[in-house]
């Protein structure tokens, strides 16, 4: 009887067909390798922070509302083009709202507590509360002028721009990856900073999740009642997360150090403290006219000593690094764009300070200076050179 017959106890094996590379289980598993390729191509988080700090430095050097609005627009465009759907990336909107709140509070202070700027364009005169003699220089109510409100608006917009720049760094840089890139001597301090930085994104994610759950159940999520019923679960979740984090850090041996000779510890302390003192003295020398000759050498010597102290201090850390981030060409370009924005703004402030700080007495319309505005536009470089997030991780795709 043939081996291929119906009654054969050992039927012949079926021929194995060639599988289409575009179908089948292997093709379904293939997209799982995409995040790893994207992870190796991701930008170093330190580059994002240097870029954001450069924009923040530029914002701190001007009160021109046009330049500040341009800085905010540059930061917002880069965040919209390069952020992912990670929890920390969703905190940018909260920072924008916080900046708007700062502007409103600054204007309220100028209305009810007065402004140090004298003005001739009177808007309204509020009833003034009499204060004792020891509170001279402080008033509640009184004259409200246009010049005082404009000055408060410029000041509040400056603070809002600084907050938005910090929010851009929080939305683009992963705190966990930034912690991995810190030197060993700063690891413990970096853990505390990263925990503090991730508190706001997790809090915002919890609020959104609970509000969405209440809307699905047909319960109010706005107003004082909704805020009270959402705030308690958010607080409970934050406490549970802190306890779990403490237990995880304890289980992983957080805080343990390696045995280092006493002489090395003393040299590390001397180099670190001496380097920090040198950095402070050199920075002060660069900012003053008399110390311009010794400022730069002292600053460079302080930076070298501080780096040496950090290198020696890293010998006490027993941690290891898994797949460390590489500082590549793209990271240099992103960081250099932020430094260039700050350098152009500082240079513009030395030869044309009136363009960066428009006067309010007499009240004049601000103008957009050409070269500082062109320098601010250099901050758009990360939107072109930074790696784009995968389509599956963009906020628009996730929402759809």
């Amino acid at each position: 009887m043939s081996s291929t017959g119906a009654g054969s106890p050992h039927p012949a094996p079926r021929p194995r067909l060639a599988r289409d590379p575009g179908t089948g289980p292997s093709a379904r598993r293939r997209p799982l390798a995409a995040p790893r390729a994207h992870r190796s191509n991701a930008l170093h988080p330190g580059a994002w922070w240097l870029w954001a700090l450069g924009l923040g430095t530029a914002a701190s050097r001007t009160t021109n509302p046009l330049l500040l609005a341009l800085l905010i627009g540059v930061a917002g465009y880069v965040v919209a083009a390069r952020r992912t759907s990670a929890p920390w990336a969703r905190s940018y909107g909260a920072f924008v709202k916080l900046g708007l709140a700062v502007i409103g509070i600054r204007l309220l202070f100028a209305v009810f507590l007065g402004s140090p700027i004298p003005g001739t364009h009177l808007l309204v005169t509020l009833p003034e509360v009499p204060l004792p003699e020891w509170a001279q220089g402080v008033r509640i109510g009184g004259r409200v002028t246009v010049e005082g409100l404009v000055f408060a608006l410029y000041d509040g917009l400056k603070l809002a721009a600084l907050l938005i720049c910090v929010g851009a760094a929080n939305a683009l840089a992963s705190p966990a990856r930034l912690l991995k890139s810190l030197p060993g001597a700063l690891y413990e301090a970096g853990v505390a900073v990263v925990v503090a930085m991730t508190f706001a994104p997790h809090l915002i994610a919890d609020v959104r999740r609970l509000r969405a759950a209440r809307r699905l159940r047909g319960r109010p999520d706005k107003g004082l009642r909704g805020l009270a019923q959402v705030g308690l679960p958010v607080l409970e979740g934050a406490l549970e997360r802190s306890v779990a984090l403490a237990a995880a850090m304890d289980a992983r041996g957080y805080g343990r150090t390696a045995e280092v000779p006493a002489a090395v510890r003393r040299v590390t302390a001397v180099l670190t403290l001496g380097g920090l003192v040198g950095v402070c003295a050199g920075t002060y020398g660069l900012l003053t006219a008399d110390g311009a000759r010794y400022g730069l050498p002292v600053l460079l010597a302080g930076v070298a000593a501080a780096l040496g102290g950090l290198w020696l201090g890293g010998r006490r850390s027993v941690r290891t690094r898994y797949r460390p981030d590489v500082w590549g060409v793209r990271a240099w370009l992103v960081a250099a764009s932020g430094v260039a924005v700050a350098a152009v703004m500082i240079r513009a402030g030395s030869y044309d300070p009136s363009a960066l700080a428009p006067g309010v007495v007499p009240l004049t319309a601000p103008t957009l200076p050409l070269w500082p505005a062109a320098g601010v536009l250099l901050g758009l470089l990360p939107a072109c050179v930074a790696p784009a997030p995968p389509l599956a991780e963009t906020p628009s795709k996730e929402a759809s």
Side-chain angles (χ1 to χ4, degrees):
M1 185 171 55
S2 174
S3 61
T4 59
S8 175
H10 301 289
R14 299 178 60 184
R16 303 181 69 178
L17 301 178
R19 186 173 291 168
D20 186 3
T23 60
S26 61
R28 289 194 297 269
R29 297 192 191 101
R30 190 168 300 160
L32 295 178
R36 177 173 295 181
H38 170 64
R39 168 66 178 79
S40 62
N41 196 32
L43 194 69
H44 196 285
W48 286 123
W49 272 101
L50 288 177
W51 168 79
L53 291 177
L55 295 185
T57 303
S60 66
R61 308 289 295 188
T62 179
T63 56
N64 191 320
L66 301 179
L67 289 176
L68 292 173
L70 189 60
L71 283 168
I72 293 173
V74 167
Y77 180 80
V78 174
V79 169
R82 289 297 179 263
R83 71 170 174 175
T84 63
S85 59
W88 60 82
R90 303 172 187 174
S91 62
Y92 181 73
F95 278 93
V96 174
K97 295 177 182 178
L98 182 60
L100 295 176
V102 166
I103 295 176
I105 293 173
R106 186 65 181 87
L107 290 175
L108 288 178
F109 280 1
V111 170
F112 293 103
L113 300 181
S115 175
I117 302 299
T120 58
H121 298 78
L122 183 63
L123 283 178
V124 66
T125 302
L126 299 177
E128 188 170 354
V129 178
L131 298 176
E133 295 181 358
W134 55 266
Q136 290 183 359
V138 180
R139 66 180 179 88
I140 300 177
R143 301 172 71 251
V144 180
T145 61
V146 177
E147 289 84 355
L149 289 181
V150 170
F151 176 79
L153 177 63
Y154 291 173
D155 197 19
L157 187 60
K158 179 179 178 179
L159 296 176
L162 291 173
L163 287 173
I164 290 174
C165 291
V166 174
N170 276 280
L172 294 170
S174 170
R177 289 176 50 211
L178 182 62
L179 177 63
K180 291 172 57 178
S181 304
L182 288 178
L186 300 178
Y187 180 71
E188 295 182 359
V191 169
V193 173
V194 168
V195 170
M197 287 168 46
T198 54
F199 175 76
H202 285 295
L203 191 66
I204 294 169
D206 288 345
V207 171
R208 290 182 175 178
R209 177 174 54 82
L210 290 171
R211 291 183 63 184
R214 291 185 63 83
R215 285 195 298 268
L216 290 175
R217 292 179 174 89
R219 298 177 182 177
D221 62 324
K222 297 181 180 179
L224 294 178
R225 182 181 177 183
L227 181 62
Q229 294 181 357
V230 169
L232 186 60
V234 169
L235 180 60
E236 183 181 357
L239 292 176
E240 291 180 354
R241 191 182 301 113
S242 64
V243 172
L245 178 61
M249 293 171 64
D250 189 19
R252 289 171 172 82
Y254 171 76
R256 60 178 181 174
T257 57
E259 292 295 333
V260 179
V264 176
R265 292 199 299 268
R266 287 192 290 268
V267 172
T268 301
V270 170
L271 287 177
T272 305
L273 294 178
L276 294 178
V277 171
V279 169
C280 294
T283 304
Y284 178 78
L286 291 177
L287 294 177
T288 58
D290 298 334
R293 285 180 292 181
Y294 70 83
L296 184 59
V298 172
L299 178 62
L300 295 178
V303 170
L307 291 177
L310 292 177
W311 178 75
L312 287 176
R315 298 175 61 181
R316 299 184 61 190
S317 177
V318 293
R319 69 190 182 101
T320 59
R321 294 184 180 181
Y322 174 67
R323 296 172 64 192
D325 292 301
V326 180
W327 190 283
V329 178
R330 293 180 174 182
W332 282 111
L333 291 175
V334 171
S337 64
V339 174
V341 173
V344 170
M345 196 67 67
I346 294 174
R347 182 71 182 94
S350 62
Y351 72 84
D352 192 8
S354 61
L356 301 186
V360 295
V361 180
L363 192 61
T364 57
T367 59
L368 183 64
L370 179 61
W371 289 110
V376 171
L377 293 179
L378 293 176
L380 292 172
L381 185 63
C384 302
V385 300
L391 294 178
E393 293 187 5
T394 54
S396 59
K397 291 290 183 180
E398 185 191 23
S400 61

